[in-house]
Amino acid sequence: MRISVLVFSFTFLLACNQPAKHNYNTSKALLSWNNTPVKEQIFSFVKKVTDPSSVDYVPVENRVAVFDNDGTLWNEKPLYIPLEFEINNIQTKLAGDTSLLSNELYKGLAEGNLAIMKDYNTFNLITQLFALHNGQNEDKYKESVYHFLSHNLHPKFERPFKEMVYQPMVELVHHLQQHDFEVYIVTGGEISFVRTISKEIYNIPVENVIGSSVKLNYISDEQGVRIIRTGTIQSANDKHVKPCNIELHIGKKPIFAAGNSDGDYEMMEYTLAGDEPSMAILVHHDDAEREYSYMHGTEKAVTDANSKGWHVISMKKDFRQIFPD
């Protein structure tokens, strides 16, 4: 009897000391993706960095993933959704203040002359658009953004703007989260704008959104305590600024990045720098029938993707469906 007990105890101790087997089940993951090589490459990457027995294992605290928003997580054509909001804001303000027509940019956008934006670089454009919210209560700004995204419809697909998300990419966010990745949005869009819907449509909390921003003022007077927006740009979060803001706000280099344009070039380049396991994907818009087909603003990223080691996602070939049902 004693020998049997000793044998059982020894066997039990051996079993306890064996590394836990890593169960990586993909049967219910990325269902809106076609079974193409890039899908398997994503699975392979996530598996190796989350398997404790893998030489490429990455501890949970270092599993940081960053996603661009416009054109990566949701639609950006025929106009950026934040720009749709600003044009709507101009048209609304004109009803009570026609003096805005003295500004050539405001006048052109209000009249549908989108070509006028070519006369401005990105920084000057967003400076003028953000200036329209100077002095606005931050809470009121966010309320107006959420109302716009919930009730205004995309001109082609006739569904609320907040529903214009790419289902395969949302599934990818959730898949990473299920494997203990901390997922961030790193966008050129205005930070408060994206925060109004990030949790609802992506399951990404507001504190995990990094974006362009204006300086804010704290006010405490007889009217109460509040945060007021200014028209002064604090950060234009695009191109080389994205890695700097990742360091500023996260303090860790990502091991996974997703973008779609030249504005994400440095973020993806930064993610793959170094020797640790990492992966970057570039969403390529090549499906004119189900969405849009275009290269403008993505030429350098698409051209250099192969030499940089970035995986190009073809919306036409890799996505089984594009928008949620």
Side-chain angles (χ1 to χ4, degrees):
M1 180 66 72
R2 275 184 195 171
I3 293 176
S4 298
V5 171
L6 287 172
V7 171
F8 174 79
S9 299
F10 182 69
T11 304
F12 177 76
L13 287 171
L14 281 177
C16 289
N17 288 324
Q18 293 298 314
K21 290 186 177 180
H22 183 65
N23 182 21
Y24 183 69
N25 186 356
T26 61
S27 62
K28 296 183 179 180
L30 308 190
L31 298 181
S32 295
W33 294 65
N34 287 317
N35 294 321
T36 55
V38 72
K39 179 179 178 180
E40 293 306 315
Q41 288 160 352
I42 291 172
F43 283 154
S44 176
F45 173 76
V46 176
K47 181 179 180 180
K48 73 180 183 181
V49 299
T50 59
D51 184 352
S53 65
S54 169
V55 294
D56 292 318
Y57 176 73
V58 175
V60 171
E61 61 269 22
N62 292 330
R63 294 179 203 165
V64 174
V66 292
F67 283 71
D68 170 55
N69 190 48
D70 297 300
T72 300
L73 287 175
W74 73 1
N75 170 270
E76 65 176 359
K77 294 294 182 181
L79 293 175
Y80 292 116
I81 295 176
L83 183 56
E84 295 272 14
F85 167 73
E86 296 297 351
I87 293 174
N88 179 268
N89 180 54
I90 292 170
Q91 294 169 337
T92 300
K93 285 183 177 295
L94 276 172
D97 183 9
T98 56
S99 67
L100 291 176
L101 292 173
S102 62
N103 181 297
E104 290 297 322
L105 175 63
Y106 301 158
K107 182 176 184 295
L109 292 177
E111 295 173 350
N113 177 22
L114 303 180
I116 195 170
M117 290 188 291
K118 295 179 181 178
D119 298 335
Y120 303 84
N121 62 37
T122 301
F123 186 84
N124 289 335
L125 180 65
I126 65 173
T127 296
Q128 291 212 45
L129 294 176
F130 287 176
L132 286 168
H133 303 283
N134 183 39
Q136 186 176 12
N137 185 303
E138 177 74 352
D139 288 338
K140 294 296 183 183
Y141 170 79
K142 289 187 284 191
E143 286 175 11
S144 65
V145 168
Y146 187 78
H147 184 274
F148 173 84
L149 294 174
S150 300
H151 298 284
N152 290 64
L153 307 183
H154 187 277
K156 177 179 177 179
F157 297 99
E158 298 184 340
R159 59 195 300 172
F161 282 113
K162 72 176 184 179
E163 294 181 9
M164 295 300 299
V165 299
Y166 300 136
Q167 181 65 21
M169 296 302 291
V170 175
E171 290 174 359
L172 176 55
V173 168
H174 296 171
H175 184 62
L176 293 173
Q177 289 173 330
Q178 288 161 7
H179 290 83
D180 298 317
F181 277 75
E182 193 72 22
V183 180
Y184 293 81
I185 294 174
V186 182
T187 176
E190 204 279 334
I191 189 169
S192 295
F193 185 98
V194 179
R195 282 176 170 173
T196 64
I197 41 76
S198 64
K199 180 66 176 178
E200 178 181 339
I201 66 178
Y202 304 134
N203 192 42
I204 296 176
V206 296
E207 61 269 25
N208 283 23
V209 176
I210 301 169
S212 296
S213 59
V214 297
K215 292 184 178 179
L216 303 173
N217 283 333
Y218 173 78
I219 306 293
S220 177
D221 55 21
E222 64 278 0
Q223 298 178 31
V225 174
R226 57 204 182 278
I227 301 295
I228 300 298
R229 297 175 67 84
T230 73
T232 304
I233 303 296
Q234 180 159 275
S235 178
N237 192 49
D238 193 33
K239 299 183 177 179
H240 67 277
V241 180
K242 286 193 172 187
C244 295
N245 275 336
I246 288 171
E247 176 61 29
L248 178 66
H249 292 276
I250 304 175
K252 295 179 180 180
K253 190 170 74 67
I255 65 168
F256 186 94
N260 80 296
S261 73
D262 295 349
D264 305 312
Y265 193 101
E266 288 83 356
M267 180 175 75
M268 295 188 294
E269 186 177 56
Y270 176 56
T271 299
L272 264 61
D275 298 326
E276 66 275 12
S278 56
M279 183 176 190
I281 65 172
L282 181 72
V283 178
H284 181 38
H285 296 261
D286 59 355
D287 196 328
E289 182 178 346
R290 295 186 300 168
E291 201 237 9
Y292 294 95
S293 180
Y294 59 92
M295 279 284 289
H296 180 68
T298 71
E299 296 91 343
K300 181 174 173 60
V302 172
T303 300
D304 293 353
N306 186 54
S307 63
K308 290 289 186 179
W310 306 335
H311 301 266
V312 177
I313 307 296
S314 163
M315 296 184 83
K316 190 172 185 178
K317 297 177 182 178
D318 294 310
F319 288 174
R320 179 170 297 173
Q321 75 178 78
I322 293 182
F323 301 111
D325 293 330

